[in-house]
Amino acid sequence: MDKIIIHGGKKLKGEVIISGSKNSTLPILFATLLSDEPSIIKNVPSLADIDTTVEFLNFIGKKTVKKGNTIRTYSSCKYKHIAPYDLVRKMRASVLIMGPLLARLNRVDVSLPGGCTIGARPIDMHLDAFRKLGAEISIEGGYIKTLSKDGLKGAVIDLKFPSVGATENILLSAVLAKGKTTIINVAKEPEIEDLVDVLNKMGAKISGAGTEKIIIDGVDSLRGFTHEVIPDRIEAATYMIAAAITKGDVVLKNVTPKHIEVVSNKLKKSGLCVKENKTSIRVKWVRNLKPQNIKTEVYPGFPTDAQAQWVALMCLLKGHSKVEETIFENRFMYVAELQRFGANIMVNSKVANITGVDKFSGAPVMVSDLRAGAALVLAGLAAEGKTVVSRVYHLDRGYELLEKKLKKLGADIKRVHS
Ligand code: UD1
């Protein structure tokens, strides 16, 4: 298993190019199943989750090839309707296979995804929505069996929470349903807008993306598309916080500043110099930063996927701060690892109370999930001495060329195989 070794204390300086969004690419890849025509997706990050999805699509019967940062899918018309455990277990987003296959084949059997380290993450909202669209659902032998004998029919779906995945799965199925579907209380994340952009390029009739209500007028068939994925706002947030925690001066290129405004504004409030241009952001440390409380919320609120990185930064600022997690129930798993650097954090259910310490000292630490891993790397960059990060396969799910990008910014970081 690979490990990342960091000798901390270097100020990050220079330019970093932000990759395409992982969370946008995944549903867009599943959208290719909605058409028999070929499609081209550009600005795709090279990540384990993308490889898993490519493998998944090929298994289902959609020939998909990734070359560099471009993915091509080819003409196809015969899909399997069974998604086995081996493919589903690797990635929760695998449940997005359900929407398109239900729409195309009127049936899909997907192995239950199971829990994950950041919480139970049920898919009840996805299943309730499919039922509303006319599917019958049963659980047999560890599989969710979904069947819509007479095809899907448009419906009004009122989500109890604006779930990103449920919104995506509804979009991926209702586009080919008969009649009109209205989704109320939908997720407003930029990744939803990107998916809707793709679906409309394919000939779908969807309006309202980015608002609380999306309306889909079902169509009979969809065509292929060419699309460039939006920049990864979470990777961008991570590099902004990396600049702050190392007292550096970093220019992020290929970003959409609006998508990450909430993090930029918090950093500005903290005292960091943040200058946004059209597609770049410069983040420069000029004075000691002040702690800032945050509460994770759905977009445009503070993203839960940047929470752990924020906590790492707050740990090194003089004073107290409070970080409240409202999206996932188990997202403070990394706290015990941050304490190994010398962090002073008390977790009380959904809230982390942080008291700043003067410095971190490097330590051996273990990654429990993707964003936890990012927080530990940031802590290692700021710490005195050597940090050894193990279980880095979690990081490979979501950060393209992590060590290379950090090294280019001046970090003393390397990967070793052991
Ligand atoms: C997506 C992102 C993830 C991000 C999250 C919240 C991808 C691949 N992943 O995950 O990085 O952290 O959005 O911004 O895009 N829930 C239910 N029932 C459901 C569905 C969700 O109770 O049927 C709960 C979840 O357990 C969680 C909350 O709703 O507590 C948010 O989940 P959701 O928005 O669906 O996140 P994901 O789509 O899984």
Side-chain angles (χ1 to χ4, degrees):
M1 276 206 285
D2 289 2
K3 286 186 175 148
I4 287 179
I5 298 181
I6 305 168
H7 287 95
K10 301 268 190 299
K11 296 181 179 189
L12 297 190
K13 279 201 167 98
E15 280 181 12
V16 59
I17 296 171
I18 299 304
S19 301
S21 160
K22 165 180 87 78
N23 287 354
S24 254
T25 308
L26 297 176
I28 291 172
L29 275 169
F30 287 109
T32 64
L33 290 168
L34 291 166
S35 169
D36 292 337
E37 294 180 16
S39 294
I40 301 174
I41 313 168
K42 298 177 183 167
N43 200 30
V44 174
S46 292
L47 299 169
D49 277 8
I50 303 295
D51 294 342
T52 302
T53 312
V54 166
E55 191 191 338
F56 200 174
L57 292 179
N58 280 310
F59 171 85
I60 291 295
K62 183 83 184 169
K63 188 178 171 208
T64 307
V65 177
K66 180 169 182 297
K67 209 169 171 199
N69 293 106
T70 299
I71 289 184
R72 284 171 193 273
T73 64
Y74 292 85
S75 307
S76 49
C77 53
K78 215 164 179 269
Y79 301 143
K80 292 191 185 76
H81 75 281
I82 298 177
Y85 182 63
D86 256 8
L87 285 166
V88 177
R89 76 181 163 86
K90 289 190 192 160
M91 190 185 67
R92 181 182 152 83
S94 302
V95 296
L96 296 179
I97 196 81
M98 295 183 84
L101 287 190
L102 195 52
R104 294 300 308 276
L105 308 175
N106 290 337
R107 66 186 301 197
V108 55
D109 297 352
V110 176
S111 171
L112 277 163
C116 83
T117 48
I118 62 171
R121 296 179 103 178
I123 56 162
D124 54 319
M125 281 187 264
H126 302 234
L127 301 184
D128 284 349
F130 292 144
R131 278 192 197 100
K132 285 237 163 77
L133 292 170
E136 283 168 30
I137 297 172
S138 58
I139 311 249
E140 283 168 48
Y143 276 78
I144 307 167
K145 299 198 167 190
T146 316
L147 182 69
S148 63
K149 274 190 217 130
D150 305 320
L152 298 176
K153 290 190 189 70
V156 176
I157 300 166
D158 195 347
L159 294 175
K160 64 176 182 193
F161 176 86
S163 152
V164 173
T167 302
E168 289 166 349
N169 240 339
I170 299 168
L171 283 164
L172 290 167
S173 50
V175 274
L176 289 177
K178 283 215 157 38
K180 178 167 144 181
T181 297
T182 305
I183 330 173
I184 299 161
N185 196 26
V186 286
K188 291 187 275 203
E189 271 67 4
E191 294 77 21
I192 300 290
E193 286 194 63
D194 209 25
L195 174 62
V196 168
D197 194 10
V198 164
L199 293 171
N200 282 337
K201 279 183 189 173
M202 296 175 83
K205 292 192 178 131
I206 307 170
S207 58
T211 73
E212 257 138 51
K213 186 160 99 179
I214 287 183
I215 296 174
I216 307 156
D217 281 307
V219 294
D220 290 337
S221 65
L222 293 166
R223 49 182 181 265
F225 64 91
T226 297
H227 184 74
E228 184 164 332
V229 174
I230 58 168
D232 195 311
R233 64 193 168 99
I234 303 302
E235 191 196 20
T238 304
Y239 281 97
M240 286 202 279
I241 299 171
I245 205 169
T246 62
K247 304 184 175 173
D249 180 3
V250 172
V251 178
L252 286 78
K253 296 264 181 179
N254 188 24
V255 281
T256 305
K258 176 122 197 57
H259 290 169
I260 204 62
E261 211 171 23
V262 63
V263 178
S264 304
N265 287 345
K266 277 285 171 188
L267 286 169
K268 282 179 197 168
K269 250 186 149 176
S270 177
L272 198 74
C273 178
V274 182
K275 291 233 160 73
E276 291 121 320
N277 288 311
K278 219 170 151 219
T279 57
S280 68
I281 304 178
R282 182 173 181 185
V283 188
K284 188 177 176 192
W285 187 93
V286 283
R287 65 182 82 88
N288 282 336
L289 304 179
K290 294 200 185 79
Q292 297 294 319
N293 299 339
I294 60 143
K295 178 177 175 181
T296 61
E297 276 162 323
V298 294
Y299 189 82
F302 197 98
T304 174
D305 286 351
Q307 180 257 96
Q309 302 88 311
W310 189 261
V311 168
L313 174 64
M314 291 304 109
C315 286
L316 287 167
L317 306 188
K318 199 176 165 101
H320 301 279
S321 52
K322 224 192 226 182
V323 168
E324 187 177 347
E325 173 60 50
T326 72
I327 309 291
F328 291 110
E329 68 268 31
N330 200 10
R331 223 169 185 181
F332 287 124
M333 297 251 298
Y334 61 88
V335 162
E337 298 300 299
L338 277 185
Q339 283 164 341
R340 297 169 66 83
F341 290 96
N344 184 348
I345 312 171
M346 292 280 289
V347 177
N348 191 349
S349 166
K350 288 171 156 187
V351 179
N353 290 291
I354 304 153
T355 304
V357 294
D358 289 342
K359 63 177 177 75
F360 275 169
S361 20
V365 287
M366 201 181 273
V367 178
S368 57
D369 65 78
L370 172 56
R371 308 303 170 185
L376 299 180
V377 168
L378 298 192
L381 292 172
E384 279 178 8
K386 181 177 168 184
T387 291
V388 180
V389 184
S390 54
R391 300 209 177 156
V392 298
Y393 52 84
H394 289 291
L395 282 159
D396 297 335
R397 293 186 46 214
Y399 288 94
E400 186 179 41
L401 303 173
L402 180 69
E403 313 90 80
K404 261 201 183 150
K405 288 186 185 187
L406 287 171
K407 211 172 176 157
K408 197 172 158 253
L409 291 172
D412 183 345
I413 182 168
K414 67 175 180 196
R415 179 182 290 245
V416 293
H417 309 281
S418 59

